[in-house]
Structures are given as C-alpha cells and as structure tokens.
Amino acid sequence: MATWKDASLWSPSLLLLLFVGFCSPVCVEVPSGTEAVRGQNMTLLCISCMQREEVSAITNVEWYYEPTNGNGNRSLIYEYIDGKHTRPKSQFMGRIHWSGSKDLQDVSIVLHNVTITDAGKFVCQVNRTLRYEAHQHSIQSSFEISLIVNDVATEDFTSVLSEIMMYILLAFLTLWLLIEVVYCYRKISKAEEVTQESVTDYLAIPSENKENCSVPVEE
C-alpha cells in the first residue's frame, strides 16, 4: 500500500511529464514575403505543419516555377525526395539553396542574386505520408508565392508610419523639455529677484536697527 511519502516522491515526476507534454514545439504556418530586390537574396517561405507530431512520416517536397505570362506552364526547379536534394536544370541553377528545418515542417528555399526575370509564381508542394501501425495516410498541401522583383527596396507602410510616429514623439518630448527648462529658469530668476530685494532692503536699514532685524527667508 502506497504511503503519503511514496505519493510525494511520485508527484514531481508526474508534474515533469505533464510539463514536457505541454511544452512540445508549436508550428505556425507563416505566409511568405512576395517582394524581392534585384541582386539580393530572397527566402521563399513554405511551412507545412504536421497535425500529429507523434506519428512518423515520410515527407517529399517539390518546388515549381511559373514565369509571368507563362500560360500555366510550370517547371520543376527543386525537389527533396527520400532525403535527397535535387536541382533540375533551370534558370535558377546554382542560385537555389535549401533552408528547411530538420523536422521538415519548414521546407523553405533561398533564391540568391535575384534577377528581374525571376518574377513569377512559385509553388511549394508538400507530400507527406503518415505511417500508422495498421495503415498509411497521404496528405498533400500546396502553397503559391507570387514573387515581384523591384529594382530598389520599397518601404513598408507600417515602417513609414512607425517612423512618422517616432518623429512626432521626439518633437513632443523636445517641446516638453523646452517648456520645463523655461519654467525652471523663470522660477529660479524670480527667487533670485526676491532674495536680491530682501538683501537690498536689509542693507538700507540703519546699522543700529539691524540687531533687531533679520532678513526674511522665503520658504
């Protein structure tokens, strides 16, 4: 029969197991950026979260490219099959690198030295086979990225608004500081004038009456 002491020894272990269970990593599917700058690198983000992380799975990834006005013609530019990376011959040869995670929930790629002709539609296709004890289940997901290539970086509206608010706040703080300085200066000047008048009045008193007179001190 378990005693109270035995229960107290098991409680920390049970809490630790529960803590580990609740602290499993969380996958969030974040959309990729769509604007690139010519001559710079661009990460084509593709995140496909597994619904059940405790189930083992085989993941294959294929990246396709469709140029602007390509009439729906797609070409395979990158694939990850059975743990092997393959880069078919295309205009991106030597400029595509894998940027995915080990758990293959993030299967992004990086496009180096972007050119104007790289604009178009990129399609990330993820084929995942979940392996259960009695059967297997295949899941396919597809993500499209319409890439725009600019000659120079365009400023985001949010960043512009943040910069404007920063300048407004800076101007307000500067004005407030100036008002405080003027207020303190006037207060000190007024105190000095009162003190000077008190000293002048004291000096004007005949010497025989100074023994019974004291200079008023302003609190």
Side-chain angles (χ1 to χ4, degrees):
M1 182 177 180
T3 62
W4 178 85
K5 292 183 178 181
D6 295 332
S8 63
L9 292 175
W10 279 99
S11 297
S13 301
L14 181 60
L15 292 176
L16 180 60
L17 290 175
L18 292 175
F19 179 78
V20 172
F22 284 116
C23 293
S24 57
V26 178
C27 176
V28 180
E29 296 185 1
V30 181
S32 174
T34 57
E35 293 190 9
V37 180
R38 184 178 63 176
Q40 297 185 8
N41 301 337
M42 177 66 184
T43 299
L44 301 175
L45 195 64
C46 181
I47 299 178
S48 178
C49 299
M50 292 182 60
Q51 299 298 321
R52 298 188 61 181
E53 298 179 359
E54 69 274 12
V55 178
S56 61
I58 299 175
T59 302
N60 295 327
V61 183
E62 296 174 341
W63 277 91
Y64 294 90
Y65 170 70
E66 179 184 336
T68 304
N69 299 326
N71 298 323
N73 295 324
R74 296 181 179 179
S75 58
L76 182 65
I77 61 174
Y78 193 95
E79 63 179 348
Y80 176 88
I81 305 294
D82 294 332
K84 296 180 180 180
H85 300 268
T86 305
R87 300 168 179 83
K89 187 177 181 180
S90 68
Q91 68 184 69
F92 306 102
M93 282 290 294
R95 296 194 295 127
I96 294 182
H97 293 84
W98 179 259
S99 181
S101 58
K102 292 183 178 180
D103 60 3
L104 297 179
Q105 299 197 79
D106 181 358
V107 292
S108 308
I109 58 175
V110 178
L111 179 60
H112 292 262
N113 192 20
V114 177
T115 64
I116 295 295
T117 57
D118 292 340
K121 182 186 296 183
F122 291 83
V123 179
C124 172
Q125 186 169 305
V126 181
N127 301 293
R128 204 185 305 274
T129 303
L130 304 178
R131 296 184 297 184
Y132 298 92
E133 294 183 358
H135 68 285
Q136 296 183 352
H137 179 66
S138 297
I139 300 175
Q140 185 179 88
S141 56
S142 181
F143 305 89
E144 294 186 357
I145 304 171
S146 297
L147 186 66
I148 301 174
V149 180
N150 301 314
D151 288 330
V152 294
T154 57
E155 294 190 23
D156 184 29
F157 175 75
T158 304
S159 61
V160 174
L161 182 61
S162 301
E163 187 174 357
I164 293 176
M165 293 301 296
M166 181 187 67
Y167 283 118
I168 293 176
L169 180 60
L170 183 61
F172 173 77
L173 292 177
T174 303
L175 180 62
W176 176 79
L177 181 61
L178 181 61
I179 294 175
E180 285 292 325
V181 170
V182 173
Y183 173 76
C184 293
Y185 176 77
R186 294 184 61 182
K187 188 173 182 180
I188 293 174
S189 298
K190 185 177 181 180
E192 290 180 351
E193 290 177 1
V194 172
T195 303
Q196 186 67 28
E197 292 176 358
S198 300
V199 172
T200 302
D201 294 342
Y202 176 76
L203 293 177
I205 299 175
S207 58
E208 61 272 12
N209 297 330
K210 288 182 179 179
E211 295 179 357
N212 300 324
C213 180
S214 59
V215 178
V217 179
E218 183 181 0
E219 295 181 358

